[in-house]
Amino acid sequence: MTNSAASVGQHHENLRLFDGRSGQEINSGIVGLARDPSVLNSDVLLVGEIHDDPVAHVAELKLLKELLLQSNRKWCLSLEFLESDTQLVTDEYLRNLVSEEMFKTCVRAPSNYDSDYRALIELCKEHGIPVIASNAPRRYVSLVRRCGREQLHTLLCDEAKRWLPPLPFQAASATYHERFRQTMSQMRSDGQVPAGMLDAQTLWDATMAHFITIAAKRTNPEQTDQRMLVVHIGGSFHIEGGLGLAEHLNPELRRISLIFHPGDLQHGFPQHYLGQADFIAITDHNLPRSY
C-alpha cells in the first residue's frame, strides 16, 4: 500500500459534501448521496475528480459500494481513462478470460491504476457490473489536434469510426471555448492556445458522451421500463458548469453531477464553486497526492 493510500485509509472521511446550487452542507456524506432520489432517479451520474486526489478515489469506491445496496437501480461504470477501442479486452477481463497484467497492458492503464482505479474495476468484476470504455483512442485525439475537427471524417476508415461519435462531432460551445482558452493560456508560456487543442479536448468530450448515451439507453433487465444508471468518472474540467461532456449528452437523459475539489476543510463552502455541479465535495488538500 502506498503512503497516500494508507493515509486515506485512516482518514477516509476527509471531505465535506455540499449542495452545489445552494452551498449548504450535506451531513449524510457520500453514502447518503448514493441513496439520494435525485441520483437514483437519474440516467447519468457525472463524477469529476482531480486524478491524483486520493480522498476522491476512496469516496468513489464508497459511492459504488453503496449503489450496490440499492437493489431498485441497476448501474454500470464508465471511465475516462479507458479508451473505446479497449472495450473488448475490458469485457474479457471482467469475464476472467484474460489476466490482470494482460488487461492493464492492453488498455494502456495509467501509472496510478493500482493505487486509484483498480479497486473500482475489481468491485465491478466481482459483482458483474458492466464497465464502459468511453474515451476516444489517443491516436485519434492526436490526429484531430494536428488536422482539425472537420478533417477527421475523411481521414478515417469506417472501422476506425466505430470508436468515435458520429462525425463530424459537435464543435465546442462558445462558453466552453472561452473557459478552455483561459485555462490553457495560463499553462503556456506564450499564452497562446493552438486551435487543434480545443478540437482534441472536444473529441474527448463528445466521445465520452456518445458511449455514455449508448450505455444509458440500455434497460434494466429486471425493469424494462427503467434505464441503466451510468456512473461516469473523469476529470472535473470535462464536467464543471454543465459544459464539455454534458453539452454532448443526449438531452433526454436526466443527469446529476458530483465534483471533488481539494481544499481546506476548515473553511466553509468556496463561493466560486457555486453552480459548478449539483454536488461539490471538498477533499483534504493536506493529504499526500497519489502520484
Side-chain angles (χ1 to χ4, degrees), residues 202-258:
T202 306
L203 178 58
W204 280 329
D205 292 324
T207 306
M208 288 187 284
H210 174 65
F211 288 106
I212 290 169
T213 296
I214 290 174
K217 288 186 175 182
R218 297 176 184 172
T219 58
N220 178 347
E222 297 174 8
Q223 298 180 10
T224 55
D225 61 339
Q226 185 186 67
R227 288 172 172 161
M228 184 88 75
L229 169 63
V230 181
V231 181
H232 175 77
I233 297 176
S236 58
F237 191 92
H238 294 282
I239 296 169
E240 290 171 350
L243 300 174
L245 191 164
E247 295 179 289
H248 294 267
L249 282 175
N250 186 313
E252 296 179 358
L253 297 178
R254 300 163 297 177
R255 77 284 304 265
I256 201 90
S257 55
L258 162 67

Side-chain angles (χ1 to χ4, degrees), residues 2 5 23 70 98 151 162 189 240 267 278 288:
T2 64
Q70 310 307 310
V98 298
Q151 296 299 317
R162 291 176 52 201
S189 58
E240 290 171 350
H267 295 163
D278 297 294

Side-chain angles (χ1 to χ4, degrees), residues 25 35 39 70 77 91 135 162 189 237 245 251 267-268 281 287:
E25 187 158 12
R35 305 169 183 162
V39 171
Q70 310 307 310
L77 177 64
D91 293 341
N135 211 350
R162 291 176 52 201
S189 58
F237 191 92
L245 191 164
H267 295 163
L287 287 173

Side-chain angles (χ1 to χ4, degrees), residues 9-26:
Q10 295 164 9
H11 306 288
H12 60 274
E13 292 294 347
N14 272 11
L15 62 79
R16 294 175 67 184
L17 182 65
F18 297 88
D19 185 308
R21 296 151 296 190
S22 68
Q24 294 296 309
E25 187 158 12
I26 300 173

